[in-house]
Amino acid sequence: MSEIALRDVNKIPESEKMNESSSNGKFTNAEEGQKKGTTSLVSGPVKTDEMENSGEVLANSEVEYIESEDLEDVEHVEDCLKTLLSGLGSKDWISVCDALNNVRRLSVFHKEAIISMMADVISLIVKSLKNPRSAVCKTAIMTCADIFKAYNDDTIDSVDPLLVQLLLKSSQDKKFVREAAESALIALTSSVSPLLLLPKLQPHIKNKNPRIRAKASSCISRCVPRMGVEGIEAFGIEKLIQIGASQLSDQLPESRDSARTLLLDLQSVYEKSHVLKQNIVSDEPVITASWEHFCQSKLSPLSAQAVLRVTNTAREGLVIDS
């Protein structure tokens, strides 16, 4: 660099240098965060996502997130508990994200410690899910997933407001938020008993938003294989068939594909559970009431026809392949 250039640099006021050094819009490490009087979001191995806006990547808006398997235990549980609610309710978004990550750590390593305050914690997580800042929203979504995995059926009484927001977020345009919400919904349907969760999902397949209907349909189709014959009969196979039939003609392909998967699973369960005896001559199973007759007895003629078209086509395909 020439002497003139060096003199020009030296003339730049310190305040402008500081502004220039901080204009990249991201936190690079814990030390930089401490110099600014804030707490870093990073406390272990992390995954970096880039925020997206209308499909365009904003290179200067990188945010770091801690994956569940990389979470580390909190150092002082009691101190963490004392500041947890105030952190979740803070106006400083970095403090909120740190508090959300502490909820995740406590859920993984000290799940009994926050049960008494879980109602307040859930309420503040819902607030974060609605936050327009994507970093807060995604961290809250990741917190939901860890809570579902840690507490299983114990979350069922608090799941409604979380479910509404996760269905909304899994239907939005921002890819990295949408994918996080979809992962959280998978954690939900994998961790909570289907018999408890299905009544919570049912109202959403009638939502005015076709994307929300599609995500709810996907959740229902994932729940059914976990139920087994007894669980399906306890919930009511006719209810599930009606759900599947209603989604076969829905607007989005995701809804229709989920409905087909659901109906094929139900057909398999129905035929297995209604076999009473073996035909002595052919050694073939005898079904007292055929799948076709059952569908026709539980559905309108048009719905029954649509369901049978799907299930018969799949069966014919299996026969041809064999």
Side-chain angles (χ1 to χ4, degrees):
M1 184 181 295
S2 68
E3 184 177 352
I4 295 175
L6 286 172
R7 283 200 301 268
D8 289 340
V9 170
N10 291 332
K11 289 179 181 180
I12 299 175
E14 288 297 319
S15 60
E16 291 185 19
K17 291 181 182 179
M18 291 176 66
N19 289 337
E20 181 180 351
S21 66
S22 62
S23 63
N24 57 12
K26 61 180 179 180
F27 294 97
T28 55
N29 53 47
E31 182 180 357
E32 183 178 347
Q34 289 168 358
K35 287 179 181 179
K36 295 180 182 181
T38 61
T39 305
S40 172
L41 297 180
V42 186
S43 64
V46 296
K47 178 180 179 181
T48 301
D49 278 313
E50 291 183 334
M51 289 189 182
E52 298 183 6
N53 185 11
S54 301
E56 296 183 2
V57 178
L58 305 180
N60 290 329
S61 299
E62 293 180 355
V63 179
E64 296 170 315
Y65 304 100
I66 309 172
E67 295 299 314
S68 298
E69 59 270 21
D70 297 324
L71 287 167
E72 298 178 357
D73 196 358
V74 295
E75 292 184 4
H76 305 289
V77 177
E78 291 301 322
D79 291 343
C80 183
L81 291 171
K82 289 177 182 177
T83 60
L84 191 63
L85 294 180
S86 61
L88 290 172
S90 174
K91 294 182 179 180
D92 175 40
W93 71 273
I94 298 176
S95 297
V96 174
C97 287
D98 280 337
L100 287 167
N101 281 328
N102 282 336
V103 172
R104 299 174 66 201
R105 296 184 183 97
L106 290 168
S107 297
V108 172
F109 297 104
H110 306 279
K111 60 183 292 185
E112 302 297 328
I114 58 173
I115 287 180
S116 62
M117 61 174 70
M118 188 57 77
D120 293 328
V121 168
I122 294 294
S123 177
L124 290 167
I125 291 174
V126 172
K127 181 180 177 181
S128 293
L129 288 170
K130 298 177 181 179
N131 194 298
R133 186 180 287 273
S134 296
V136 176
C137 181
K138 178 170 178 176
T139 307
I141 291 170
M142 297 172 77
T143 305
C144 291
D146 288 323
I147 287 176
F148 297 147
K149 293 173 187 176
Y151 294 97
N152 309 120
D153 289 356
D154 291 336
T155 62
I156 197 63
D157 291 335
S158 306
V159 81
D160 284 325
L162 298 177
L163 179 58
V164 169
Q165 291 303 315
L166 291 175
L167 289 171
L168 284 169
K169 300 306 177 185
S170 68
S171 307
Q172 72 162 244
D173 293 329
K174 284 187 178 179
K175 182 179 178 182
F176 82 110
V177 173
R178 182 176 71 246
E179 290 178 345
E182 288 172 346
S183 295
L185 288 172
I186 290 173
L188 174 63
T189 54
S190 302
S191 304
V192 177
S193 168
L195 280 174
L196 297 175
L197 188 57
L198 282 173
K200 304 288 187 180
L201 289 166
Q202 269 187 281
H204 298 291
I205 63 171
K206 297 180 181 179
N207 195 287
K208 293 181 180 179
N209 186 329
R211 291 186 179 185
I212 291 179
R213 293 199 303 271
K215 297 304 177 183
S217 296
S218 295
C219 289
I220 290 173
S221 70
R222 285 197 300 269
C223 283
V224 170
R226 297 181 58 223
M227 298 173 74
V229 174
E230 292 184 359
I232 289 173
E233 290 182 346
F235 183 81
I237 190 171
E238 65 278 1
K239 293 180 184 178
L240 292 168
I241 289 175
Q242 289 164 3
I243 290 172
S246 71
Q247 298 302 297
L248 272 181
S249 58
D250 203 50
Q251 182 176 342
L252 296 181
E254 185 177 356
S255 285
R256 302 193 295 271
D257 290 343
S258 297
R260 283 191 285 268
T261 300
L262 171 62
L263 291 167
L264 289 170
D265 286 337
L266 293 175
Q267 179 191 28
S268 177
V269 168
Y270 178 83
E271 293 184 344
K272 287 178 181 177
S273 63
H274 285 71
V275 173
L276 296 184
K277 60 182 179 180
Q278 296 290 326
N279 187 304
I280 299 175
V281 176
S282 65
D283 199 33
E284 291 293 326
V286 176
I287 302 174
T288 56
S290 69
W291 170 251
E292 181 177 354
H293 176 76
F294 182 74
C295 291
Q296 290 171 343
S297 67
K298 301 298 180 182
L299 301 169
S300 69
L302 286 177
S303 293
Q305 185 179 13
V307 169
L308 292 171
R309 185 185 303 116
V310 167
T311 53
N312 289 340
T313 300
R315 176 179 287 169
E316 291 168 2
L318 290 173
V319 171
I320 292 173
D321 291 340
S322 61

